[in-house]
Amino acid sequence: MTKPSVSRRSFLVDSAAATAALSALPRSGRAEDAPTSEFRSRWDLVPDRVWPGAAFWSNPLQDWRIRGGRLECFRPATGRSLHLLTHDLANRSGTLRMSVQLGSIDGGPLAEASGSAGFEVGVRGPLGDYRNNLVHGSGFPAGLRTNGRLFLGDGPEAVSAPVDLNAEAVELRLAIDPEGNGFHLTLSALDPTDGRVLGSVERSGVPGASLVGNLALMSNFGPPRPAAQQANNANLPPAGTWWFADWTVSGSKVDAHDDRRFGPILFNQYTLHGGTMKMSVQMPPLGPEDEHSIRLLVDRDGSWTQVAEATIDPRSFLATFRVEGWDDQINIPYRISYVEKFTDGSGREDTFEGLIRRDPVEADVLTVADISCNAHYAFPNEACVASVAKLDPDLIVFTGDQFYESTGGFGVERNDVDIALLDLMRKWYQHGWTWRDVTRDRPSIAIPDDHDVYHGNLWGEGGKKAPGNTSEAESKGGYKQMAEFVNVVHAIETAHHPDSPAEPGLQGITGYYGPLTYGGIGFAILADRQYKSGPDGKVPPTTSGRADHVVDPDFDPETADRPGLELLGDPQLRFLEAWADDWQGVEMKAAISQTIFTAMATHHGQPDNRLIADYDTNAWPQTPRDEAVRALRRAFAFHLAGDQHLPAVVHYGIDEHRDAGVAFASPAVNNLYPRWFWPESPGENRPSGAPKELGDFRDSFDHPLTVLACANPKPDRRPGVGVLEAETDKSAGFGVVRFHKADRTITVECWPLLADPTEPGTQFPGWPVTVSQLDNGGARVAQADLPEVVVRGVDRPVVRVIDESINEPVYGIRLTGSRWRPFTFAEGVYTIRVVDPESGRSAEQRGVEARKGNDATIEITL
């Protein structure tokens, strides 16, 4: 993948000629053009490729293509559809005239072909949104079957009539006209060579409710299923391969929405770190005759100036810009520009605009949205996106499971890498389409979790290959998908991250952990699945039938803490420790990872499914877990995560309760797999009147655990409720973490999916939760004090405490002033080192005694 690096000098060069050339290109088909209710496909002008164009959405992406100026569905399977994004049927009386030419890809008379094809009109999903209709909708079918019948509708009310299919192609025409309180439909088939009518069928009294929504072409009517199921199920309707051409739509019942075009520029993500701006731009699957370069322009004194150009990667369809010397002190509007080429030699510029925000280093508060686990039941999740936008986060972090294997239907592909990558793209596009109006104007982080690489659970073991594609193979460790597939997932989600120190692992699988400094907060981006050991064969056998689920009430967690097991892996742990000591430009610190470092949930999937222990949690393996938590404690780092589908704020313990950091597990946006925390006994040391779920506990791997807030899903599903209400019952929602730099506190806020965050009292019960930065260092349970340190010669220095008995750092922290009394977890002798990270100056005092009630003072001058 090309990642062009642009120096400050080249960034400042005015590319006036390139800008002028771009502005001169025709802009037909853009959102600002006047919409018309008449539509005609022009696939005859589109070069050969998978992507059908910005006006269409294909289900599934990998089964459709443009070839020789025609649209083809080349997979002989049922339920394949291509939706028109820019026009739909309105909820009013009026007419529709629609036509398309079609035939069998195999050629020959249609009477000798297999399957069915035609239209589906009024396609609507449970939410009524046109994007929800694309993947969750159904409509009124109108088409032909190669058994010689035209049909309108399905079920017992369907009507059909004979049609002469001895032609190699037909033109289908659908007419819808008002009739009383309903509509009259006529479907005709004509010979496209001479206009001869080959057959027709009519139906009266079709209710208007059936004719509101999306318009689509269908290849093989029937239930949409994964291709593997289609091939192995003789009971499904016969299916064939179909081509389509010259689709036209018009009528007074048709509304035009040119602003709904999706592409060629689909969405983008960016970060700003250390004066370098990195941006990834997601494109659709392009063909060899398409343009393969894309440009980045910025608004400079009222004119658009090109600052970078990138090549679109042929596997991920991603373009990545890397611009050094970015002026991070001002807001900079940007424009992404791509020229779509057509076979007649013409072109059309597509642009996508947004804002690179200034680095808010001087702001008192940095607000970070924590978003995770979206099964896209409520795609495009407009209510959630609108609520997050109201909160106007400075940074948005997607902490894993941006999509699931089930996203958009049709299952997954595991054998053919080319098909698998296209299957991946359609799921990823649903994530990007959901969030693109948030990510275009603010930096974002996305980290892949298990479902992003088609795993129920992932123990990556540094990139090794899993011994099979089954769920049982997962617990043996490694990746089930092809290495190339995994690397594309890592690219599309993380290519815009700051540069990573991670080296490729086994099979050449890439890493992505690394630092991000933004708004005066230092973030460590972690990969807590990629290097973790798999449990099968490394821990005592379970009796549950699964190597990762322990149901034995007599389970001894010490038996699972065996030598040689990994969590973060040694290189990533070394990075985390070095990051903990680096305070340049940083006031406070936080880690971002897939899941929290404790085993909190007691019940999984179903409210009666109690687990004694779950090896998928980051409470195991215990020894490397403690090493990771100590590294976070070393930086007083808060922890943002997702994965659990159980919204919670927890305080970690290593040797005792609350002697380490605080973490937030965000709610799932759309919850595929509920979990509950139902402890057998109420928590100790909980506030008076607090629910029994709060307080001090021991998790299932015997770590001290303090629960500060928890929002359990409802145990019983309400029958008949809508999609959004059902998700709310499962504690779906969103959260933000606010870092208050002046008083060094951290506030966690958490809302149910349908809550309006601007209204008071709408958060989950128990939120917001505010903790001190010192809580992340275990200050509440300190055992001894060092002398108060008074620093001369620098304001707001970093104070580091080093245990001389083992010559290892205990922690470091940036002060808000010039004096502070450090604490320790044990009496003894320590070194106090004072550092000015920005200048590099430092001074220290060795042999300093830590004891209870220490009221001494020392001065250190830089």
Side-chain angles (χ1 to χ4, degrees):
M1 184 181 305
T2 301
K3 298 183 180 180
S5 177
V6 182
S7 68
R8 175 177 289 273
R9 179 179 179 183
S10 61
F11 175 77
L12 296 174
V13 172
D14 184 359
S15 305
T19 304
L22 288 172
S23 63
L25 286 168
R27 299 172 62 84
S28 60
R30 301 287 300 142
E32 60 266 27
D33 296 337
T36 174
S37 61
E38 295 185 358
F39 164 81
R40 182 183 179 189
S41 67
R42 294 307 308 269
W43 293 312
D44 56 313
L45 299 178
V46 176
D48 289 0
R49 66 189 185 204
V50 170
W51 182 56
F56 310 100
W57 174 269
S58 47
N59 291 317
L61 180 66
Q62 63 265 26
D63 289 358
W64 296 82
R65 68 189 176 199
I66 303 294
R67 190 173 69 165
R70 303 187 307 196
L71 172 73
E72 295 183 347
C73 184
F74 56 91
R75 182 69 63 88
T78 55
R80 272 53 188 167
S81 62
L82 181 121
H83 287 244
L84 179 59
L85 298 176
T86 57
H87 295 73
D88 63 6
L89 289 183
N91 186 15
R92 63 170 178 266
S93 182
T95 62
L96 169 70
R97 297 294 183 266
M98 189 157 64
S99 67
V100 73
Q101 293 184 26
L102 56 82
S104 170
I105 293 177
D106 295 332
L110 291 177
E112 299 176 4
S114 298
S116 56
F119 305 115
E120 191 169 30
V121 298
V123 182
R124 286 175 65 84
L127 301 183
D129 177 277
Y130 78 98
R131 288 179 289 177
N132 186 261
N133 300 343
L134 300 175
V135 296
H136 296 296
S138 60
F140 188 95
L144 63 81
R145 294 190 177 93
T146 54
N147 64 358
R149 306 293 293 184
L150 291 175
F151 65 93
L152 287 168
D154 53 9
E157 297 182 351
V159 296
S160 67
V163 60
D164 179 3
L165 294 181
N166 287 313
E168 291 192 0
V170 300
E171 179 179 323
L172 280 184
R173 294 182 182 177
L174 177 64
I176 297 180
D177 296 283
E179 180 185 63
N181 294 326
F183 290 85
H184 181 86
L185 278 64
T186 303
L187 179 67
S188 304
L190 293 80
D191 187 325
T193 61
D194 56 17
R196 179 171 54 93
V197 176
L198 304 174
S200 66
V201 64
E202 300 183 36
R203 179 170 169 179
S204 297
V206 177
S210 299
L211 302 174
V212 178
N214 289 15
L215 300 168
L217 299 178
M218 292 297 298
S219 176
N220 301 302
F221 292 87
R225 298 176 184 271
Q229 290 186 20
Q230 178 77 34
N232 297 324
N233 194 330
N235 296 322
L236 291 176
T241 59
W242 294 91
W243 62 260
F244 302 84
D246 200 20
W247 185 13
T248 66
V249 178
S250 63
S252 60
K253 192 172 168 56
V254 177
D255 277 348
H257 311 275
D258 205 59
D259 59 323
R260 293 180 178 177
R261 295 169 63 88
F262 188 47
I265 302 170
L266 302 178
F267 52 90
N268 72 329
Q269 303 176 92
Y270 77 84
T271 57
L272 191 57
H273 168 81
T276 296
M277 193 283 296
K278 290 182 70 176
M279 177 186 293
S280 61
V281 182
Q282 187 63 64
M283 302 293 288
L286 300 171
E289 301 305 315
D290 280 306
E291 176 63 49
H292 288 273
S293 65
I294 189 168
R295 287 156 289 277
L296 175 66
L297 304 94
V298 298
D299 185 351
R300 184 172 297 148
D301 299 325
S303 64
W304 291 108
T305 302
Q306 180 175 316
V307 296
E309 185 171 356
T311 300
I312 301 166
D313 181 75
R315 302 303 274 167
S316 64
F317 312 110
L318 198 72
T320 304
F321 300 110
R322 185 182 190 278
V323 184
E324 297 176 357
W326 189 271
D327 187 350
D328 57 12
Q329 299 305 301
I330 60 173
N331 293 326
I332 300 180
Y334 69 86
R335 171 181 286 178
I336 306 165
S337 174
Y338 174 78
V339 178
E340 184 178 5
K341 293 181 178 180
F342 302 103
T343 56
D344 64 354
S346 65
R348 176 174 57 200
E349 182 192 17
D350 184 44
T351 60
F352 187 91
E353 296 178 4
L355 183 73
I356 305 294
R357 297 189 179 193
R358 66 184 300 273
D359 188 345
V361 291
E362 297 177 357
D364 291 335
V365 179
L366 187 84
T367 300
V368 182
D370 186 347
I371 307 296
S372 69
C373 302
N374 193 345
H376 294 282
Y377 299 132
F379 174 73
N381 296 282
E382 282 197 317
C384 183
V385 174
S387 292
V388 172
K390 288 179 181 179
L391 293 166
D392 191 22
D394 301 293
L395 171 69
I396 185 166
V397 297
F398 299 103
T399 49
D401 293 343
Q402 276 64 262
F403 50 85
Y404 284 74
E405 296 91 325
S406 60
T407 292
F410 299 96
V412 299
E413 172 63 44
R414 297 195 182 276
N415 298 314
D416 186 303
V417 68
D418 294 321
I419 297 175
L421 288 176
L422 293 173
D423 174 62
L424 163 70
M425 290 300 154
R426 180 169 169 272
K427 301 176 193 301
W428 172 240
Y429 295 166
Q430 289 183 237
H431 167 80
W433 208 356
T434 295
W435 294 104
R436 69 174 180 168
D437 286 334
V438 177
T439 61
R440 73 165 79 207
D441 289 332
R442 56 181 51 75
S444 61
I445 290 293
I447 51 176
D449 200 3
D450 39 23
H451 291 282
D452 299 87
V453 292
Y454 296 176
H455 274 246
N457 297 309
L458 174 64
W459 296 271
E461 296 206 349
K464 84 171 192 180
K465 184 174 179 59
N469 287 332
T470 65
S471 58
E472 291 78 12
E474 291 180 345
S475 60
K476 297 182 182 296
Y479 288 84
K480 296 191 296 186
Q481 288 292 93
M482 300 77 82
E484 184 177 0
F485 176 94
V486 175
N487 284 347
V488 168
V489 173
H490 289 180
I492 61 178
E493 299 204 19
T494 73
H496 66 292
H497 289 191
D499 297 346
S500 170
E503 296 290 337
L506 300 175
Q507 300 190 80
I509 288 180
T510 55
Y512 55 85
Y513 63 80
L516 168 68
T517 300
Y518 189 71
I521 309 299
F523 296 95
I525 303 165
L526 301 179
D528 62 20
R529 307 286 198 188
Q530 186 171 0
Y531 307 97
K532 185 176 179 179
S533 299
D536 195 358
K538 304 179 184 69
V539 296
T542 67
T543 59
S544 66
R546 290 182 52 163
D548 56 329
H549 282 183
V550 178
V551 297
D552 181 1
D554 296 324
F555 169 69
D556 180 0
E558 288 190 11
T559 63
D561 190 16
R562 297 187 172 183
L565 298 176
E566 300 277 4
L567 180 55
L568 299 182
D570 187 68
Q572 186 172 206
L573 183 61
R574 300 289 84 78
F575 153 74
L576 186 59
E577 291 171 339
W579 167 85
D581 293 338
D582 183 1
W583 286 84
Q584 185 170 357
V586 172
E587 302 289 323
M588 305 170 71
K589 293 206 172 196
I592 301 168
S593 82
Q594 288 83 355
T595 194
I596 53 179
F597 293 120
T598 190
M600 179 183 174
T602 58
H603 294 70
H604 292 235
Q606 300 293 333
D608 60 351
N609 182 30
R610 183 178 186 89
L611 292 185
I612 299 302
D614 179 11
Y615 288 109
D616 181 48
T617 68
N618 274 350
W620 179 85
Q622 294 100 307
T623 295
R625 175 268 184 191
D626 287 349
E627 292 175 336
V629 174
R630 282 193 181 92
L632 294 181
R633 183 175 70 179
R634 182 163 155 175
F636 291 81
F638 187 82
H639 187 189
L640 297 93
D643 176 66
Q644 290 294 296
H645 309 175
L646 175 60
V649 180
V650 299
H651 201 151
Y652 295 142
I654 301 173
D655 299 309
E656 57 183 301
H657 288 93
R658 307 173 196 247
D659 70 352
V662 179
F664 174 43
S666 67
V669 173
N670 289 172
N671 192 346
L672 177 79
Y673 186 82
R675 292 182 176 91
W676 293 263
F677 178 57
W678 288 333
E680 294 182 323
S681 302
E684 297 180 359
N685 302 315
R686 68 188 188 281
S688 176
K692 72 173 187 177
E693 292 86 3
L694 304 190
D696 293 341
F697 303 90
R698 287 273 174 175
D699 74 14
S700 53
F701 289 95
D702 203 34
H703 301 294
L705 164 67
T706 302
V707 180
L708 305 180
C710 175
N712 278 310
K714 293 183 178 179
D716 300 314
R717 308 282 177 85
R718 290 183 292 164
V721 301
V723 172
L724 295 172
E725 291 77 12
E727 289 305 308
T728 300
D729 287 352
K730 292 188 284 185
S731 293
F734 53 93
V736 300
V737 178
R738 302 187 192 273
F739 294 88
H740 303 268
K741 291 179 280 185
D743 66 2
R744 301 294 173 82
T745 59
I746 301 150
T747 299
V748 185
E749 302 171 358
C750 193
W751 287 270
L753 188 64
L754 294 178
D756 183 345
T758 64
E759 293 294 327
T762 57
Q763 296 192 47
F764 281 111
W767 274 271
V769 176
T770 297
V771 298
S772 165
Q773 179 189 26
L774 294 177
D775 290 336
N776 293 297
R780 293 191 182 190
V781 295
Q783 299 298 309
D785 295 315
L786 288 162
E788 183 180 28
V789 178
V790 179
V791 181
R792 308 294 187 191
V794 65
D795 189 35
R796 298 169 49 255
V798 171
V799 173
R800 292 178 179 156
V801 174
I802 301 165
D803 187 342
E804 292 186 3
S805 67
I806 55 176
N807 195 31
E808 287 188 2
V810 180
Y811 59 74
I813 189 170
R814 169 87 73 165
L815 304 188
T816 57
S818 59
R819 58 194 307 151
W820 182 57
R821 184 178 301 279
F823 62 87
T824 64
F825 299 106
E827 295 182 338
V829 178
Y830 295 82
T831 296
I832 298 177
R833 181 175 298 152
V834 177
V835 180
D836 178 15
E838 285 64 48
S839 69
R841 292 181 295 153
S842 66
E844 68 181 31
Q845 186 160 333
R846 299 177 58 83
V848 182
E849 183 182 2
R851 63 178 186 273
K852 294 180 180 180
N854 194 338
D855 59 359
T857 299
I858 62 172
E859 290 189 5
I860 298 180
T861 302
L862 268 66

